Amino acid sequence: MGQAEWVTVPVSTRDVEGPTFFSQHEWDTIEAATARIIPTDHHPGAREAKVVRFIDRMLAGTQFIFPAADGIGFLRMEGREAAVWEERIEQRRRFYREGIREMDRLAQELGGGAFVELGEADQDAVLEKLSGAAKPGGFTLDDEGGGLGGAPAGNQPVNEDFLEFFPLLVLNTRQGFYGDPVYGGNENRVGWGVIGFDGPPSLASTMDGSYTTRKYMVEGAEWPYDQHPVVLRYRRP
């Protein structure tokens, strides 16, 4: 097996709107499930953010994994890197397909139809059964106990490779809602809008240093941003 070849392929997640990995039924089922995880209320939810498209592209293969630094197109993996990635996501593919079948089985027991045919309350009941936990109640964020923060959070504090279907679905829903639109989710940057984040104008602006999130850093934190060891670690001389 040869070494990887990195070639920029001028393709966008918007070039293909429908399913790439999922069947249409699987697409519709995951779209409905994500819409219950981040529902539409006075803000857009997972459905408006096209979270299902993000998940579909993640499972499709290697063509939508590594966007080029200029923000145009994706890097094509070949050789060992492509084989390793395919092996890595094979378990996720299986979890999703088995999870969709289980959602439909539970939906049939509860309401006599497929998951997508149930009302929202019954869909919630299916997801509660699937997760083994009650649906979370409402909560309010406040300033109490917020503190001044510490080290910047890691880029990905949860290892997806060790998650079973439902927690994987929840994590991927959050990623598709809040992640960079280049990966297929966060349509029209609606996820960023919900939390008041302006976001970079393009992926390229995060690479060339023209965009920074410094204004969101907490003043007076334990480590000033410019001197934080994690920041300095990646700073070029």
Side-chain angles (χ1 to χ4, degrees), residues 55 92-100 165 169 172:
I55 295 174
R92 298 185 207 176
R93 291 169 168 169
R94 187 174 69 254
F95 280 176
Y96 265 93
R97 292 222 148 109
E98 291 175 352
I100 291 167
F165 170 64
L169 174 62
N172 293 157

Side-chain angles (χ1 to χ4, degrees), residues 219-237:
E219 293 297 332
E222 177 185 355
W223 289 96
Y225 180 72
D226 286 343
Q227 283 78 49
H228 198 285
V230 177
V231 175
L232 294 176
R233 175 183 175 189
Y234 295 102
R235 178 167 294 166
R236 295 180 179 176

Side-chain angles (χ1 to χ4, degrees), residues 147-227:
L148 293 176
N155 184 50
Q156 178 59 61
V158 177
N159 191 326
E160 298 170 68
D161 296 328
F162 296 99
L163 296 179
E164 295 184 353
F165 170 64
F166 185 75
L168 179 63
L169 174 62
V170 172
L171 175 61
N172 293 157
T173 299
R174 293 201 307 266
Q175 291 170 329
F177 192 72
Y178 295 114
D180 194 292
V182 72
Y183 297 103
N186 196 6
E187 174 80 351
N188 295 323
R189 304 151 70 94
V190 297
W192 290 348
V194 167
I195 60 175
F197 177 52
D198 61 345
S202 69
L203 186 66
S205 65
T206 69
M207 300 292 187
D208 62 17
S210 61
Y211 180 81
T212 176
T213 58
R214 182 171 182 174
K215 67 181 180 180
Y216 296 103
M217 301 299 168
V218 179
E219 293 297 332
E222 177 185 355
W223 289 96
Y225 180 72
D226 286 343
Q227 283 78 49

Side-chain angles (χ1 to χ4, degrees), residues 30-41 43-51 120 124 127 135 169-179 190-191 194-195:
I30 292 300
E31 182 178 48
T34 61
R36 299 312 306 145
I37 294 170
I38 303 181
T40 304
D41 47 27
H43 289 300
R47 195 183 299 274
E48 289 78 16
K50 298 286 187 181
V51 167
E120 293 180 351
D124 287 349
L127 294 179
K135 178 181 176 180
L169 174 62
V170 172
L171 175 61
N172 293 157
T173 299
R174 293 201 307 266
Q175 291 170 329
F177 192 72
Y178 295 114
V190 297
V194 167
I195 60 175

